[in-house]
Amino acid sequence: MKIFAATTLFLAVDAFQAPAQHRRTVTFLASTTENSNDLAKSISQNDPSSYRNTNGQAAGGAGQRQRSLGGGTQAKESSDERPSPAGLITAKAGKITVQGGSLKTWSYASPQVERIHVVLGTEGRPLDADIALWQGPDNTPHKMRIYVEDGAVRPFHATIETPRGPNTVQIRNIGQLEFPLMAHVLAEDPSTSGSFPASQSTELLNEPMTIQGGALRTYPFDQSVDRVQVLLKTDGRPLNSRIELLQGPNNNKQVVEVYTEDGLERPFYMVIETPGDGNVVRVVNSATVEFPLTAWVEPYSIGSSRAATEPVIGGDDGRYGSNGFIKQW
């Protein structure tokens, strides 16, 4: 106790001689517990170079943190990238080749099928296709028109909600005979629920944005964002929208036109591959003003950031050939 009292008196005297920026630290040290171990612990906790958060990770380290992306979009970044949902689906679903001008159907009679995942890709050629959900005779509650500039670098992936059955998914390749596409269709039932990305707003982090009929919204993203997820819903009214991925002025890399008869029961969810820099997602409500929609657009997977001095090289980039999806082709 005598040694501790002497140390405290010395620190108190020294506090008047210390610069102003150090007096707070000295005062804190003098008011700590009565053993030297606690004093050493307090010094370590107040040293910015050795600060540790409650999880034991260094501040500013590789743990999860909030990161500001282009356009003010916020997302949690982790040291591990989320796997590509297209890669997960292609690993489980068989590949069906749809030649240019032809049509394929996948029928599901069981009402236990909750949703259907669709992945379309090519060997590097353009992709132009129609997707429709049939439910009974002359009833098409969900339709999509897809264009992708390069089906290998940016494969198309979307989720189709299928409440009640039976359901049939139709995929038509409206491209020329020289441009076949590869289709992977996988049904999700209660036993596999949660294994793949689902159109559930509870899994998204940012606040939704209301887009009135005839209006549009743009969402720029940083170069470190590898994939972007888009969820569109309504309050039960029909949904008519166009989703575009731009990379440069008026340079559409991917365009999706979607219609659902009930945006609450059948929301639209998709994951867009965004390799390279300057990616902007544009959502257009193509309905009239009486039919607003609610949109969530945010990063799905964030990779490592490019160094400030690293150049952007045009042409084929081998970095995107190792994502496990392109190898399927």
Side-chain angles (χ1 to χ4, degrees), residues 7 36 44 49 56 63 125 142 144 151 165 233 277 291 308 320:
T7 303
S36 58
S44 176
S49 63
R125 302 176 183 179
H142 197 157
M144 286 179 280
K233 301 177 70 174
D277 303 326
F291 300 96
Y320 304 110

Side-chain angles (χ1 to χ4, degrees), residues 174-188:
I174 58 179
Q176 300 296 322
L177 183 64
E178 297 82 8
F179 301 104
L181 63 85
M182 275 62 75
H184 300 256
V185 180
L186 180 65
E188 183 175 333

Side-chain angles (χ1 to χ4, degrees), residues 11-318:
L11 291 174
V13 174
D14 186 60
F16 293 96
Q17 300 177 356
Q21 61 270 25
H22 297 304
R23 290 178 183 175
R24 182 178 301 176
T25 302
V26 174
T27 304
F28 177 80
L29 295 178
S31 61
T32 52
T33 55
E34 56 181 13
N35 57 65
S36 58
N37 292 333
D38 291 338
L39 284 174
K41 181 179 179 180
S42 299
I43 295 173
S44 176
Q45 289 179 345
N46 284 271
D47 185 1
S49 63
S50 62
Y51 177 74
R52 295 294 186 270
N53 58 22
T54 55
N55 293 327
Q57 296 174 334
Q64 292 187 351
R65 60 186 180 272
Q66 291 289 328
R67 179 189 182 112
S68 177
L69 304 172
T73 305
Q74 299 289 327
K76 287 185 179 180
E77 181 185 15
S78 174
S79 57
D80 298 328
E81 300 181 29
R82 296 176 69 179
S84 169
L88 296 175
I89 293 168
T90 55
K92 292 181 175 293
K95 180 177 70 175
I96 302 296
T97 301
V98 183
Q99 300 294 338
S102 63
L103 177 147
K104 297 287 185 182
T105 60
W106 288 256
S107 298
Y108 301 92
S110 174
Q112 293 186 350
V113 176
E114 297 178 341
R115 60 184 57 91
I116 299 173
H117 300 273
V118 178
V119 175
L120 304 180
T122 66
E123 295 178 345
R125 302 176 183 179
L127 189 155
D128 203 355
D130 276 339
I131 300 177
L133 176 67
W134 298 342
Q135 194 175 55
D138 299 326
N139 182 23
T140 308
H142 197 157
K143 294 188 293 185
M144 286 179 280
R145 170 71 183 272
I146 301 104
Y147 166 77
V148 182
E149 182 185 69
D150 189 334
V153 175
R154 298 176 182 85
F156 169 80
H157 167 248
T159 301
I160 302 175
E161 297 290 332
T162 57
R164 303 176 301 276
N167 296 278
T168 298
V169 174
Q170 167 240 304
I171 298 178
R172 182 191 299 273
N173 186 349
I174 58 179
Q176 300 296 322
L177 183 64
E178 297 82 8
F179 301 104
L181 63 85
M182 275 62 75
H184 300 256
V185 180
L186 180 65
E188 183 175 333
D189 55 29
S191 63
T192 59
S193 180
S195 302
F196 306 101
S199 53
Q200 301 296 328
S201 58
T202 55
E203 299 178 359
L204 303 176
L205 302 176
N206 295 330
E207 293 296 326
M209 179 176 292
T210 300
I211 304 177
Q212 300 295 335
L216 63 88
R217 293 290 184 270
T218 58
Y219 303 82
F221 289 92
D222 188 75
Q223 62 182 3
S224 61
V225 177
D226 293 334
R227 301 172 189 91
V228 174
Q229 55 186 339
V230 178
L231 173 62
L232 305 181
K233 301 177 70 174
T234 67
D235 58 358
R237 286 176 271 191
L239 187 154
N240 280 279
S241 180
R242 185 173 70 253
I243 304 168
E244 303 174 2
L245 173 65
L246 299 95
Q247 200 171 40
N250 298 323
N251 185 12
N252 286 322
K253 298 296 184 180
Q254 185 169 339
V255 180
V256 179
E257 296 179 356
V258 57
Y259 162 79
T260 64
E261 68 175 9
D262 187 337
L264 181 63
E265 188 177 47
R266 303 176 187 273
F268 177 72
Y269 178 84
M270 70 177 300
V271 177
I272 305 174
E273 301 284 337
T274 57
D277 303 326
N279 291 290
V280 177
V281 174
R282 180 164 60 189
V283 180
V284 182
N285 187 347
S286 53
T288 57
V289 70
E290 297 86 2
F291 300 96
L293 63 85
T294 304
W296 287 262
V297 181
E298 62 184 56
Y300 176 84
S301 175
I302 300 178
S304 58
S305 301
R306 190 191 302 269
T309 57
E310 184 178 354
V312 178
I313 302 175
D316 295 334
D317 191 345

